């Protein structure tokens, strides 16, 4: 059985690889199929941690993985104890107390929060305060 994960490098300001964003793919076409985010993240996690091996895939660098809002509320990232797991919060989350508290719980458990495709909005301030990294695409 073939498994697929796209690996996009993330560089630091010195153009050295800081980590890899791991993205769902279901074949060699390198496209994202029409599936929901929860399924895509679940498959990335299974493929990366169980099939390929996260250390092999990331070469010891950080692994940036998009987690839809519901998976964060369900604390799914805590099932994966990898010191270099970066929990990416997508730009379309509904900022509410339950979600913010779930993010606080992750940070309290030593997980790192990353804001993905960031565009400033005042209601994001609680997440900005929790984030280790804010990603801005160029």
């Amino acid at each position: 059985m073939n498994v697929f994960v796209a690996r996009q490098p993330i560089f630091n300001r010195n153009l050295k690889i800081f980590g890899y964003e791991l993205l769902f793919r279901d074949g060699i076409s390198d496209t994202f199929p029409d599936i929901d985010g929860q399924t895509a993240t679940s498959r990335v996690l299974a493929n990366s941690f169980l099939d390929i091996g996260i250390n092999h895939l990331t070469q010891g660098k950080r692994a940036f993985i998009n987690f839809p809002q519901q998976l964060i509320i369900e604390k799914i990232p805590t099932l994966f104890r990898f010191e270099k797991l970066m929990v990416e919060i997508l730009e379309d989350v509904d900022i509410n107390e339950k979600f913010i508290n779930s993010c606080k719980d992750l940070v309290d458990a030593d997980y790192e929060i990353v804001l993905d495709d960031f565009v400033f909005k005042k209601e994001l301030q609680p997440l900005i305060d929790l984030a280790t990294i804010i990603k801005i695409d160029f």
Side-chain angles (χ1 to χ4, degrees):
M1 178 174 114
N2 292 324
V3 295
F4 299 92
V5 174
R7 183 179 81 160
Q8 178 179 350
I10 297 172
F11 298 96
N12 66 16
R13 67 181 72 186
N14 298 320
L15 298 179
K16 296 205 185 270
I17 294 177
F18 178 76
Y20 294 96
E21 183 166 5
L22 304 181
L23 304 161
F24 174 74
R25 296 295 182 265
D26 70 348
I28 60 173
S29 65
D30 195 29
T31 59
F32 185 84
D34 187 24
I35 65 169
D36 66 276
Q38 287 187 185
T39 300
T41 295
S42 296
R43 301 248 317 260
V44 165
L45 291 167
N47 292 346
S48 299
F49 282 88
L50 304 176
D51 293 323
I52 299 169
I54 193 68
N55 283 312
H56 176 72
L57 187 59
T58 64
Q59 299 174 343
K61 306 280 190 218
R62 287 171 169 79
F64 290 72
I65 299 176
N66 293 319
F67 283 88
Q69 184 163 352
Q70 190 59 38
L71 294 183
I72 290 173
I73 289 171
E74 294 171 3
K75 300 191 183 349
I76 296 301
T78 64
L79 299 175
F80 299 90
R81 193 69 237 169
F82 177 63
E83 66 278 357
K84 296 179 181 172
L85 175 63
M86 308 299 286
V87 178
E88 287 197 328
I89 297 175
L90 302 171
E91 64 276 6
D92 63 351
V93 296
D94 176 29
I95 307 300
N96 59 54
E97 187 174 348
K98 185 175 185 177
F99 182 70
I100 292 168
N101 287 335
S102 296
C103 291
K104 285 180 184 175
D105 290 344
L106 287 174
V107 170
D108 289 344
D110 293 327
Y111 288 85
E112 296 190 69
I113 301 292
V114 177
L115 301 182
D116 193 21
D117 295 327
F118 183 76
V119 176
F120 180 79
K121 294 183 264 187
K122 187 175 181 173
E123 60 268 18
L124 290 174
Q125 192 59 55
L127 295 177
I128 294 168
D129 294 340
L130 294 170
T132 302
I133 295 173
I134 297 174
K135 282 176 48 187
I136 300 171
D137 290 334
F138 291 94

